[in-house]
Amino acid sequence: KVLVDVPHSELAEELAQSQTKIQVLQDTLQQVLDRREEERQSRQLLELYLEALKNEDSILSKVAESETVPRKEMDVVDTGTSSTGSSAKTALSDQILAALKEKPAPELCLDSQDLELVLKEDTQALALALRWDKQKAEALQQACDQELSKRLQQVQTLHSLRSTSKGKKTLP
């Protein structure tokens, strides 16, 4: 770096070489420095990518687990709703109801499973359970639906990235 920063004439005089040779030498040194910086940045990017893949794997495994579990619970919830008639109390736990009441954006703090339960809940029963009017309960369900859609899109994007990266690994 020091050799690149020194003026051509001083370095040429010190090394007893022509200024054109010194210019070529400095250009070559600068190219080496640039290449090293590019390699460093590439390594950092690769490390970030590998870390993202690890995170994706853990997210996908959690999503896979949650996709199998909610279906069973939803069946139970659906049967429970038709037989008891008080869906707000049977489908939504006190913890979910507390989060819905207390949080300014509860759809962001609930997991996907809970969001699905809120969406499947009858709007009138939800409004009664929360002591809200029907419009506020509908708005909450719409926000939960949007958040759930956003999460699904993120998972699909991760799947797409994974399949793209797997495809690149198999190339020669």
Side-chain angles (χ1 to χ4, degrees):
K1 180 73 178 146
V2 172
L3 291 174
V4 171
D5 293 337
V6 173
H8 308 321
S9 57
E10 289 180 22
L11 190 57
E13 186 178 313
E14 191 68 34
L15 297 175
Q17 296 288 326
S18 70
Q19 285 191 12
T20 54
K21 284 185 177 182
I22 296 303
Q23 178 64 41
V24 169
L25 174 66
Q26 286 182 321
D27 289 345
T28 304
L29 290 172
Q30 185 60 52
Q31 289 172 356
V32 169
L33 288 173
D34 292 345
R35 189 173 53 241
R36 284 183 182 173
E37 179 61 21
E38 286 175 6
E39 289 170 356
R40 184 190 65 77
Q41 289 176 354
S42 294
R43 273 192 308 275
Q44 283 180 331
L45 190 59
L46 183 59
E47 288 171 3
L48 287 173
Y49 179 72
L50 292 174
E51 186 177 322
L53 280 178
K54 287 179 187 175
N55 290 340
E56 175 190 353
D57 286 342
S58 66
I59 288 171
L60 290 176
S61 64
K62 287 178 184 176
V63 166
E65 290 171 10
S66 71
E67 284 177 353
T68 56
V69 174
R71 295 184 197 279
K72 293 176 185 172
E73 289 180 4
M74 279 186 252
D75 291 343
V76 171
V77 168
D78 290 343
T79 351
T81 356
S82 61
S83 62
T84 62
S86 59
S87 61
K89 292 183 181 180
T90 57
L92 300 177
S93 69
D94 291 337
Q95 184 180 9
I96 295 172
L97 289 172
L100 294 174
K101 285 181 189 177
E102 297 168 7
K103 303 289 181 177
E107 68 276 6
L108 299 178
C109 65
L110 293 175
D111 63 21
S112 298
Q113 220 175 335
D114 293 341
L115 289 175
E116 287 177 355
L117 291 174
V118 172
L119 283 174
K120 291 197 178 293
E121 193 61 57
D122 178 58
T123 308
Q124 188 62 38
L126 182 62
L128 286 174
L130 295 172
R131 295 185 182 95
W132 289 353
D133 59 22
K134 190 172 180 176
Q135 289 86 6
K136 192 171 180 181
E138 285 174 353
L140 172 69
Q141 284 181 316
Q142 288 175 352
C144 289
D145 188 32
Q146 290 173 354
E147 179 63 22
L148 201 55
S149 297
K150 184 176 125 186
R151 291 178 188 181
L152 178 61
Q153 185 178 14
Q154 288 174 339
V155 169
Q156 289 171 341
T157 302
L158 286 173
H159 280 294
S160 174
L161 283 173
R162 172 182 254 181
S163 65
T164 301
S165 69
K166 282 184 179 178
K168 289 183 179 180
K169 288 178 188 173
T170 59
L171 293 176

